[in-house]
Amino acid sequence: SELTNENWSWRMIDGTCGGHYTKLGPGGVKNCEELNIKVDYSSATVSIGNWTFTVRGNSVYDRISGPSHRLDIDFKAHGDAAARSMPHGLVGQSFAWDGAKNGKTDEYPESGYYKTSAMAEGAIEGEAAMYQVASAYETHFAFSRFDASEAVVSASALPRFADASATD
């Protein structure tokens, strides 16, 4: 839905759960099977199992064209969530080791036009292009485990609590 200039909306969550249509705005709460959703003024928190996701709408600053808002997403893994299966993909790799792992970064000039070249090489397996999928609902890429059998790793090999955030 559309966000206001203050980054909130009367209809922040719009979808189905358990086969039933649901619409939530600020103050809304929905519990559906294992899924719990709580909407605050300008964010929504979704919990399922040992995972918690918080989504916040925010303005796109210094926008030239395109959308005027973006979504900032925070992922949290609790307990053995990351240990039950080998983490994969760009987000999953955030939970695959204890501590930060920094990759290639760009050096931006003081002024003028600049085209980024850094694509997290060194912080991810392979190169960014290896994560591209053929279509919007495709699950196969070079490091995909989507259809693979479960490959359990030791819980002691991964952190008890992990956090990956687009805003930190």
Side-chain angles (χ1 to χ4, degrees):
S1 65
E2 294 291 322
L3 295 179
T4 67
N5 289 337
E6 292 80 29
N7 298 319
W8 71 278
S9 171
W10 286 112
R11 191 180 74 197
M12 292 174 64
I13 303 289
D14 189 359
T16 60
C17 186
H20 301 284
Y21 176 76
T22 190
K23 177 172 61 172
L24 298 174
V29 174
K30 178 73 174 179
N31 298 307
C32 177
E33 299 169 10
E34 294 180 70
L35 182 69
N36 300 301
I37 304 170
K38 181 178 184 280
V39 179
D40 291 321
Y41 181 70
S42 61
S43 66
T45 301
V46 179
S47 299
I48 186 164
N50 286 347
W51 292 95
T52 302
F53 310 92
T54 301
V55 181
R56 293 174 191 84
N58 211 336
S59 298
V60 174
Y61 301 104
D62 297 326
R63 177 179 158 268
I64 296 171
S65 65
S68 58
H69 288 90
R70 67 175 196 262
L71 294 178
D72 293 334
I73 305 172
D74 181 71
F75 297 83
K76 286 184 172 49
H78 307 280
D80 69 346
R84 283 184 286 179
S85 298
M86 290 289 291
H88 67 282
L90 294 175
V91 173
Q93 288 182 54
S94 300
F95 299 96
W97 46 77
D98 211 354
K101 187 172 182 183
N102 299 312
K104 181 180 174 187
T105 59
D106 288 318
E107 291 187 34
Y108 297 101
E110 289 291 322
S111 64
Y113 178 79
Y114 181 79
K115 184 176 179 181
T116 187
S117 65
M119 298 294 285
E121 294 92 340
I124 61 173
E125 293 181 83
E127 299 173 357
M130 298 171 86
Y131 293 85
Q132 292 178 353
V133 291
S135 65
Y137 299 103
E138 179 62 61
T139 59
H140 300 286
F141 58 93
F143 304 104
S144 176
R145 294 202 37 79
F146 190 81
D147 293 321
S149 60
E150 189 168 17
V152 177
V153 295
S154 166
S156 63
L158 296 170
R160 286 277 306 145
F161 175 80
D163 183 5
S165 178
T167 59
D168 290 341

